[in-house]
PDB file of all heavy atoms in Angstrom:
ATOM      1  N   ASP A 219     -10.740 199.769  52.739  1.00  0.00           N
ATOM      2  CA  ASP A 219     -12.098 199.559  52.388  1.00  0.00           C
ATOM      3  C   ASP A 219     -12.811 198.563  53.215  1.00  0.00           C
ATOM      4  O   ASP A 219     -14.024 198.379  53.010  1.00  0.00           O
ATOM      5  CB  ASP A 219     -12.350 199.427  50.918  1.00  0.00           C
ATOM      6  CG  ASP A 219     -11.881 198.123  50.396  1.00  0.00           C
ATOM      7  OD1 ASP A 219     -11.222 197.388  51.215  1.00  0.00           O
ATOM      8  OD2 ASP A 219     -11.987 197.773  49.194  1.00  0.00           O
ATOM      9  N   GLY A 220     -12.195 197.969  54.118  1.00  0.00           N
ATOM     10  CA  GLY A 220     -12.823 196.961  54.966  1.00  0.00           C
ATOM     11  C   GLY A 220     -12.700 195.505  54.466  1.00  0.00           C
ATOM     12  O   GLY A 220     -13.046 194.651  55.092  1.00  0.00           O
ATOM     13  N   SER A 221     -12.269 195.322  53.149  1.00  0.00           N
ATOM     14  CA  SER A 221     -12.085 194.048  52.557  1.00  0.00           C
ATOM     15  C   SER A 221     -10.806 193.334  52.963  1.00  0.00           C
ATOM     16  O   SER A 221      -9.946 193.986  53.573  1.00  0.00           O
ATOM     17  CB  SER A 221     -12.196 194.130  51.066  1.00  0.00           C
ATOM     18  OG  SER A 221     -11.037 194.838  50.564  1.00  0.00           O
ATOM     19  N   TRP A 222     -10.733 192.080  52.736  1.00  0.00           N
ATOM     20  CA  TRP A 222      -9.535 191.282  53.168  1.00  0.00           C
ATOM     21  C   TRP A 222      -8.566 190.954  52.052  1.00  0.00           C
ATOM     22  O   TRP A 222      -7.400 190.835  52.274  1.00  0.00           O
ATOM     23  CB  TRP A 222      -9.908 189.982  53.888  1.00  0.00           C
ATOM     24  CG  TRP A 222     -10.723 190.219  55.177  1.00  0.00           C
ATOM     25  CD1 TRP A 222     -12.016 190.049  55.347  1.00  0.00           C
ATOM     26  CD2 TRP A 222     -10.175 190.603  56.443  1.00  0.00           C
ATOM     27  NE1 TRP A 222     -12.369 190.349  56.686  1.00  0.00           N
ATOM     28  CE2 TRP A 222     -11.315 190.727  57.270  1.00  0.00           C
ATOM     29  CE3 TRP A 222      -8.935 190.976  56.795  1.00  0.00           C
ATOM     30  CZ2 TRP A 222     -11.098 191.050  58.629  1.00  0.00           C
ATOM     31  CZ3 TRP A 222      -8.719 191.323  58.180  1.00  0.00           C
ATOM     32  CH2 TRP A 222      -9.805 191.421  59.024  1.00  0.00           C
ATOM     33  N   GLY A 223      -9.053 190.857  50.823  1.00  0.00           N
ATOM     34  CA  GLY A 223      -8.177 190.719  49.708  1.00  0.00           C
ATOM     35  C   GLY A 223      -7.683 189.252  49.800  1.00  0.00           C
ATOM     36  O   GLY A 223      -8.204 188.366  50.351  1.00  0.00           O
ATOM     37  N   SER A 224      -6.470 189.110  49.238  1.00  0.00           N
ATOM     38  CA  SER A 224      -5.828 187.758  49.226  1.00  0.00           C
ATOM     39  C   SER A 224      -4.942 187.571  50.465  1.00  0.00           C
ATOM     40  O   SER A 224      -4.639 188.532  51.127  1.00  0.00           O
ATOM     41  CB  SER A 224      -4.921 187.621  48.043  1.00  0.00           C
ATOM     42  OG  SER A 224      -3.898 188.650  48.010  1.00  0.00           O
ATOM     43  N   TYR A 225      -4.666 186.329  50.852  1.00  0.00           N
ATOM     44  CA  TYR A 225      -3.945 186.080  52.085  1.00  0.00           C
ATOM     45  C   TYR A 225      -2.502 186.552  51.939  1.00  0.00           C
ATOM     46  O   TYR A 225      -1.897 186.534  50.810  1.00  0.00           O
ATOM     47  CB  TYR A 225      -4.044 184.660  52.410  1.00  0.00           C
ATOM     48  CG  TYR A 225      -3.412 183.671  51.461  1.00  0.00           C
ATOM     49  CD1 TYR A 225      -2.027 183.351  51.448  1.00  0.00           C
ATOM     50  CD2 TYR A 225      -4.232 183.009  50.545  1.00  0.00           C
ATOM     51  CE1 TYR A 225      -1.581 182.396  50.508  1.00  0.00           C
ATOM     52  CE2 TYR A 225      -3.791 182.103  49.610  1.00  0.00           C
ATOM     53  CZ  TYR A 225      -2.350 181.835  49.582  1.00  0.00           C
ATOM     54  OH  TYR A 225      -1.885 180.949  48.720  1.00  0.00           O
ATOM     55  N   ILE A 226      -1.848 186.925  53.052  1.00  0.00           N
ATOM     56  CA  ILE A 226      -0.511 187.427  52.996  1.00  0.00           C
ATOM     57  C   ILE A 226       0.503 186.361  53.475  1.00  0.00           C
ATOM     58  O   ILE A 226       1.748 186.565  53.444  1.00  0.00           O
ATOM     59  CB  ILE A 226      -0.398 188.786  53.830  1.00  0.00           C
ATOM     60  CG1 ILE A 226      -0.670 188.524  55.286  1.00  0.00           C
ATOM     61  CG2 ILE A 226      -1.229 189.834  53.272  1.00  0.00           C
ATOM     62  CD1 ILE A 226      -0.457 189.733  56.244  1.00  0.00           C
ATOM     63  N   ALA A 227      -0.059 185.363  54.178  1.00  0.00           N
ATOM     64  CA  ALA A 227       0.838 184.244  54.502  1.00  0.00           C
ATOM     65  C   ALA A 227      -0.026 182.945  54.781  1.00  0.00           C
ATOM     66  O   ALA A 227      -1.257 183.000  54.989  1.00  0.00           O
ATOM     67  CB  ALA A 227       1.471 184.604  55.938  1.00  0.00           C
ATOM     68  N   ARG A 228       0.665 181.806  54.569  1.00  0.00           N
ATOM     69  CA  ARG A 228      -0.038 180.503  54.683  1.00  0.00           C
ATOM     70  C   ARG A 228       0.890 179.503  55.256  1.00  0.00           C
ATOM     71  O   ARG A 228       2.107 179.546  55.011  1.00  0.00           O
ATOM     72  CB  ARG A 228      -0.465 180.075  53.317  1.00  0.00           C
ATOM     73  CG  ARG A 228      -0.879 178.559  53.196  1.00  0.00           C
ATOM     74  CD  ARG A 228      -1.052 178.102  51.892  1.00  0.00           C
ATOM     75  NE  ARG A 228      -1.544 176.721  51.683  1.00  0.00           N
ATOM     76  CZ  ARG A 228      -0.645 175.705  51.788  1.00  0.00           C
ATOM     77  NH1 ARG A 228       0.588 175.775  52.029  1.00  0.00           N
ATOM     78  NH2 ARG A 228      -1.186 174.464  51.726  1.00  0.00           N
ATOM     79  N   ASN A 229       0.418 178.596  56.001  1.00  0.00           N
ATOM     80  CA  ASN A 229       1.272 177.432  56.436  1.00  0.00           C
ATOM     81  C   ASN A 229       0.299 176.181  56.615  1.00  0.00           C
ATOM     82  O   ASN A 229      -0.791 176.239  57.038  1.00  0.00           O
ATOM     83  CB  ASN A 229       1.879 177.679  57.879  1.00  0.00           C
ATOM     84  CG  ASN A 229       2.623 176.521  58.298  1.00  0.00           C
ATOM     85  OD1 ASN A 229       2.281 175.723  59.172  1.00  0.00           O
ATOM     86  ND2 ASN A 229       3.867 176.322  57.829  1.00  0.00           N
ATOM     87  N   ASP A 230       0.927 175.051  56.241  1.00  0.00           N
ATOM     88  CA  ASP A 230       0.213 173.806  56.267  1.00  0.00           C
ATOM     89  C   ASP A 230       0.738 173.026  57.414  1.00  0.00           C
ATOM     90  O   ASP A 230       0.358 173.178  58.634  1.00  0.00           O
ATOM     91  CB  ASP A 230       0.262 173.002  55.011  1.00  0.00           C
ATOM     92  CG  ASP A 230      -0.324 171.659  55.099  1.00  0.00           C
ATOM     93  OD1 ASP A 230      -1.186 171.464  55.972  1.00  0.00           O
ATOM     94  OD2 ASP A 230      -0.022 170.779  54.212  1.00  0.00           O
ATOM     95  N   ASP A 231       1.785 172.204  57.240  1.00  0.00           N
ATOM     96  CA  ASP A 231       2.446 171.451  58.319  1.00  0.00           C
ATOM     97  C   ASP A 231       3.549 172.089  58.934  1.00  0.00           C
ATOM     98  O   ASP A 231       4.633 172.451  58.212  1.00  0.00           O
ATOM     99  CB  ASP A 231       2.866 170.013  57.713  1.00  0.00           C
ATOM    100  CG  ASP A 231       1.726 169.228  57.106  1.00  0.00           C
ATOM    101  OD1 ASP A 231       0.617 169.313  57.785  1.00  0.00           O
ATOM    102  OD2 ASP A 231       1.874 168.637  56.089  1.00  0.00           O
ATOM    103  N   ALA A 232       3.576 172.247  60.238  1.00  0.00           N
ATOM    104  CA  ALA A 232       4.606 172.885  60.924  1.00  0.00           C
ATOM    105  C   ALA A 232       5.616 171.871  61.454  1.00  0.00           C
ATOM    106  O   ALA A 232       5.290 171.112  62.291  1.00  0.00           O
ATOM    107  CB  ALA A 232       4.065 173.782  62.130  1.00  0.00           C
ATOM    108  N   GLY A 233       6.810 171.805  60.926  1.00  0.00           N
ATOM    109  CA  GLY A 233       7.724 170.776  61.315  1.00  0.00           C
ATOM    110  C   GLY A 233       7.221 169.443  61.013  1.00  0.00           C
ATOM    111  O   GLY A 233       6.810 169.143  59.892  1.00  0.00           O
ATOM    112  N   SER A 234       7.280 168.472  61.981  1.00  0.00           N
ATOM    113  CA  SER A 234       6.809 167.123  61.873  1.00  0.00           C
ATOM    114  C   SER A 234       5.362 166.963  62.131  1.00  0.00           C
ATOM    115  O   SER A 234       4.876 165.875  62.248  1.00  0.00           O
ATOM    116  CB  SER A 234       7.688 166.184  62.727  1.00  0.00           C
ATOM    117  OG  SER A 234       7.477 166.540  64.094  1.00  0.00           O
ATOM    118  N   SER A 235       4.617 168.123  62.409  1.00  0.00           N
ATOM    119  CA  SER A 235       3.264 168.034  62.860  1.00  0.00           C
ATOM    120  C   SER A 235       2.315 168.354  61.708  1.00  0.00           C
ATOM    121  O   SER A 235       2.646 169.074  60.784  1.00  0.00           O
ATOM    122  CB  SER A 235       2.986 168.956  63.982  1.00  0.00           C
ATOM    123  OG  SER A 235       1.663 169.104  64.327  1.00  0.00           O
ATOM    124  N   ARG A 236       1.092 167.822  61.810  1.00  0.00           N
ATOM    125  CA  ARG A 236       0.018 168.260  60.826  1.00  0.00           C
ATOM    126  C   ARG A 236      -0.709 169.461  61.192  1.00  0.00           C
ATOM    127  O   ARG A 236      -1.462 169.953  60.431  1.00  0.00           O
ATOM    128  CB  ARG A 236      -1.057 167.111  60.685  1.00  0.00           C
ATOM    129  CG  ARG A 236      -0.452 165.844  60.031  1.00  0.00           C
ATOM    130  CD  ARG A 236      -1.510 164.853  59.709  1.00  0.00           C
ATOM    131  NE  ARG A 236      -0.983 163.642  59.083  1.00  0.00           N
ATOM    132  CZ  ARG A 236      -0.910 163.450  57.757  1.00  0.00           C
ATOM    133  NH1 ARG A 236      -1.215 164.438  57.010  1.00  0.00           N
ATOM    134  NH2 ARG A 236      -0.372 162.364  57.226  1.00  0.00           N
ATOM    135  N   PHE A 237      -0.289 170.049  62.391  1.00  0.00           N
ATOM    136  CA  PHE A 237      -0.829 171.352  62.740  1.00  0.00           C
ATOM    137  C   PHE A 237      -0.042 172.410  62.106  1.00  0.00           C
ATOM    138  O   PHE A 237       0.971 172.137  61.294  1.00  0.00           O
ATOM    139  CB  PHE A 237      -0.793 171.552  64.327  1.00  0.00           C
ATOM    140  CG  PHE A 237      -1.788 170.735  65.041  1.00  0.00           C
ATOM    141  CD1 PHE A 237      -1.399 169.751  65.947  1.00  0.00           C
ATOM    142  CD2 PHE A 237      -3.195 170.942  64.840  1.00  0.00           C
ATOM    143  CE1 PHE A 237      -2.316 169.009  66.627  1.00  0.00           C
ATOM    144  CE2 PHE A 237      -4.101 170.282  65.541  1.00  0.00           C
ATOM    145  CZ  PHE A 237      -3.700 169.242  66.392  1.00  0.00           C
ATOM    146  N   SER A 238      -0.420 173.674  62.227  1.00  0.00           N
ATOM    147  CA  SER A 238       0.096 174.841  61.409  1.00  0.00           C
ATOM    148  C   SER A 238       0.693 175.870  62.289  1.00  0.00           C
ATOM    149  O   SER A 238       0.205 176.065  63.493  1.00  0.00           O
ATOM    150  CB  SER A 238      -1.007 175.368  60.511  1.00  0.00           C
ATOM    151  OG  SER A 238      -1.709 174.433  59.857  1.00  0.00           O
ATOM    152  N   SER A 239       1.551 176.635  61.818  1.00  0.00           N
ATOM    153  CA  SER A 239       2.177 177.734  62.595  1.00  0.00           C
ATOM    154  C   SER A 239       2.632 178.844  61.654  1.00  0.00           C
ATOM    155  O   SER A 239       3.269 178.602  60.539  1.00  0.00           O
ATOM    156  CB  SER A 239       3.402 177.211  63.383  1.00  0.00           C
ATOM    157  OG  SER A 239       3.953 178.254  64.067  1.00  0.00           O
ATOM    158  N   LEU A 240       2.416 180.095  62.104  1.00  0.00           N
ATOM    159  CA  LEU A 240       2.891 181.243  61.349  1.00  0.00           C
ATOM    160  C   LEU A 240       3.474 182.233  62.314  1.00  0.00           C
ATOM    161  O   LEU A 240       2.915 182.554  63.317  1.00  0.00           O
ATOM    162  CB  LEU A 240       1.695 182.004  60.604  1.00  0.00           C
ATOM    163  CG  LEU A 240       1.164 181.363  59.354  1.00  0.00           C
ATOM    164  CD1 LEU A 240      -0.124 182.043  58.879  1.00  0.00           C
ATOM    165  CD2 LEU A 240       2.151 181.397  58.200  1.00  0.00           C
ATOM    166  N   ASP A 241       4.715 182.593  62.032  1.00  0.00           N
ATOM    167  CA  ASP A 241       5.497 183.692  62.811  1.00  0.00           C
ATOM    168  C   ASP A 241       5.870 184.801  61.944  1.00  0.00           C
ATOM    169  O   ASP A 241       6.704 184.655  61.050  1.00  0.00           O
ATOM    170  CB  ASP A 241       6.714 183.004  63.482  1.00  0.00           C
ATOM    171  CG  ASP A 241       7.286 183.860  64.534  1.00  0.00           C
ATOM    172  OD1 ASP A 241       6.943 185.022  64.679  1.00  0.00           O
ATOM    173  OD2 ASP A 241       8.209 183.294  65.246  1.00  0.00           O
ATOM    174  N   ARG A 242       5.218 186.005  62.140  1.00  0.00           N
ATOM    175  CA  ARG A 242       5.454 187.076  61.324  1.00  0.00           C
ATOM    176  C   ARG A 242       5.676 188.436  62.086  1.00  0.00           C
ATOM    177  O   ARG A 242       4.998 188.525  63.197  1.00  0.00           O
ATOM    178  CB  ARG A 242       4.330 187.285  60.318  1.00  0.00           C
ATOM    179  CG  ARG A 242       4.169 186.173  59.320  1.00  0.00           C
ATOM    180  CD  ARG A 242       5.332 186.214  58.278  1.00  0.00           C
ATOM    181  NE  ARG A 242       4.985 185.193  57.124  1.00  0.00           N
ATOM    182  CZ  ARG A 242       5.300 183.962  57.245  1.00  0.00           C
ATOM    183  NH1 ARG A 242       5.823 183.391  58.410  1.00  0.00           N
ATOM    184  NH2 ARG A 242       5.061 183.167  56.161  1.00  0.00           N
ATOM    185  N   THR A 243       6.456 189.400  61.534  1.00  0.00           N
ATOM    186  CA  THR A 243       6.539 190.641  61.990  1.00  0.00           C
ATOM    187  C   THR A 243       5.519 191.465  61.240  1.00  0.00           C
ATOM    188  O   THR A 243       5.658 191.631  60.046  1.00  0.00           O
ATOM    189  CB  THR A 243       7.918 191.346  61.941  1.00  0.00           C
ATOM    190  OG1 THR A 243       8.778 190.529  62.698  1.00  0.00           O
ATOM    191  CG2 THR A 243       7.947 192.756  62.434  1.00  0.00           C
ATOM    192  N   LEU A 244       4.554 192.023  61.946  1.00  0.00           N
ATOM    193  CA  LEU A 244       3.400 192.766  61.274  1.00  0.00           C
ATOM    194  C   LEU A 244       3.305 194.268  61.696  1.00  0.00           C
ATOM    195  O   LEU A 244       3.788 194.571  62.754  1.00  0.00           O
ATOM    196  CB  LEU A 244       2.156 192.032  61.679  1.00  0.00           C
ATOM    197  CG  LEU A 244       2.075 190.543  61.259  1.00  0.00           C
ATOM    198  CD1 LEU A 244       0.726 189.929  61.986  1.00  0.00           C
ATOM    199  CD2 LEU A 244       2.057 190.299  59.787  1.00  0.00           C
ATOM    200  N   ASP A 245       2.755 195.038  60.883  1.00  0.00           N
ATOM    201  CA  ASP A 245       2.623 196.467  61.106  1.00  0.00           C
ATOM    202  C   ASP A 245       1.174 196.613  61.796  1.00  0.00           C
ATOM    203  O   ASP A 245       0.353 195.710  61.920  1.00  0.00           O
ATOM    204  CB  ASP A 245       2.625 197.217  59.857  1.00  0.00           C
ATOM    205  CG  ASP A 245       4.049 197.213  59.166  1.00  0.00           C
ATOM    206  OD1 ASP A 245       4.991 197.097  59.993  1.00  0.00           O
ATOM    207  OD2 ASP A 245       4.095 197.200  57.943  1.00  0.00           O
ATOM    208  N   ALA A 246       0.955 197.851  62.130  1.00  0.00           N
ATOM    209  CA  ALA A 246      -0.310 198.255  62.759  1.00  0.00           C
ATOM    210  C   ALA A 246      -1.420 197.864  61.819  1.00  0.00           C
ATOM    211  O   ALA A 246      -1.290 198.018  60.543  1.00  0.00           O
ATOM    212  CB  ALA A 246      -0.394 199.690  63.150  1.00  0.00           C
ATOM    213  N   GLY A 247      -2.550 197.403  62.351  1.00  0.00           N
ATOM    214  CA  GLY A 247      -3.778 197.044  61.481  1.00  0.00           C
ATOM    215  C   GLY A 247      -4.623 195.951  62.080  1.00  0.00           C
ATOM    216  O   GLY A 247      -4.290 195.561  63.210  1.00  0.00           O
ATOM    217  N   THR A 248      -5.640 195.591  61.337  1.00  0.00           N
ATOM    218  CA  THR A 248      -6.545 194.609  61.691  1.00  0.00           C
ATOM    219  C   THR A 248      -6.198 193.340  60.835  1.00  0.00           C
ATOM    220  O   THR A 248      -6.146 193.453  59.580  1.00  0.00           O
ATOM    221  CB  THR A 248      -7.942 194.948  61.561  1.00  0.00           C
ATOM    222  OG1 THR A 248      -8.265 196.093  62.516  1.00  0.00           O
ATOM    223  CG2 THR A 248      -8.884 193.835  62.058  1.00  0.00           C
ATOM    224  N   TYR A 249      -6.148 192.151  61.510  1.00  0.00           N
ATOM    225  CA  TYR A 249      -5.803 190.924  60.749  1.00  0.00           C
ATOM    226  C   TYR A 249      -6.781 189.848  61.083  1.00  0.00           C
ATOM    227  O   TYR A 249      -7.502 189.838  62.054  1.00  0.00           O
ATOM    228  CB  TYR A 249      -4.459 190.445  61.297  1.00  0.00           C
ATOM    229  CG  TYR A 249      -3.231 191.448  60.890  1.00  0.00           C
ATOM    230  CD1 TYR A 249      -2.942 192.499  61.726  1.00  0.00           C
ATOM    231  CD2 TYR A 249      -2.564 191.165  59.653  1.00  0.00           C
ATOM    232  CE1 TYR A 249      -1.921 193.349  61.359  1.00  0.00           C
ATOM    233  CE2 TYR A 249      -1.481 192.046  59.352  1.00  0.00           C
ATOM    234  CZ  TYR A 249      -1.205 193.176  60.180  1.00  0.00           C
ATOM    235  OH  TYR A 249      -0.153 194.023  59.919  1.00  0.00           O
ATOM    236  N   ARG A 250      -6.947 188.923  60.033  1.00  0.00           N
ATOM    237  CA  ARG A 250      -7.823 187.849  60.232  1.00  0.00           C
ATOM    238  C   ARG A 250      -6.983 186.575  59.996  1.00  0.00           C
ATOM    239  O   ARG A 250      -6.229 186.326  59.097  1.00  0.00           O
ATOM    240  CB  ARG A 250      -8.939 187.859  59.112  1.00  0.00           C
ATOM    241  CG  ARG A 250      -9.891 186.704  59.355  1.00  0.00           C
ATOM    242  CD  ARG A 250     -11.111 186.872  58.316  1.00  0.00           C
ATOM    243  NE  ARG A 250     -10.721 186.310  57.025  1.00  0.00           N
ATOM    244  CZ  ARG A 250     -11.527 186.208  56.043  1.00  0.00           C
ATOM    245  NH1 ARG A 250     -12.827 186.481  56.176  1.00  0.00           N
ATOM    246  NH2 ARG A 250     -11.073 185.727  54.844  1.00  0.00           N
ATOM    247  N   ILE A 251      -7.272 185.645  60.967  1.00  0.00           N
ATOM    248  CA  ILE A 251      -6.700 184.285  60.814  1.00  0.00           C
ATOM    249  C   ILE A 251      -7.808 183.350  60.351  1.00  0.00           C
ATOM    250  O   ILE A 251      -8.954 183.347  61.007  1.00  0.00           O
ATOM    251  CB  ILE A 251      -6.156 183.739  62.134  1.00  0.00           C
ATOM    252  CG1 ILE A 251      -4.847 184.574  62.493  1.00  0.00           C
ATOM    253  CG2 ILE A 251      -5.921 182.293  62.178  1.00  0.00           C
ATOM    254  CD1 ILE A 251      -3.731 184.174  61.546  1.00  0.00           C
ATOM    255  N   THR A 252      -7.546 182.561  59.322  1.00  0.00           N
ATOM    256  CA  THR A 252      -8.554 181.497  58.889  1.00  0.00           C
ATOM    257  C   THR A 252      -7.903 180.105  59.008  1.00  0.00           C
ATOM    258  O   THR A 252      -6.785 179.952  58.594  1.00  0.00           O
ATOM    259  CB  THR A 252      -9.059 181.782  57.386  1.00  0.00           C
ATOM    260  OG1 THR A 252      -9.592 182.997  57.368  1.00  0.00           O
ATOM    261  CG2 THR A 252     -10.030 180.659  56.989  1.00  0.00           C
TER     262      THR A 252
END
């Protein structure tokens, strides 16, 4: 319906860094990163 709903993945600190990282296997579709 064009909505985003709830998030499907989240990351805060990647390893020893305060930056973030997500590595996922995803299916066809449109995704949003916030």
Side-chain angles (χ1 to χ4, degrees):
D219 64 359
S221 65
W222 296 105
S224 58
Y225 60 86
I226 61 175
R228 169 195 180 276
N229 179 258
D230 176 20
D231 298 320
S234 61
S235 171
R236 290 186 181 272
F237 286 119
S238 314
S239 177
L240 285 171
D241 190 349
R242 294 289 188 278
T243 298
L244 304 173
D245 297 325
T248 300
Y249 294 85
R250 184 178 77 173
I251 288 293
T252 299

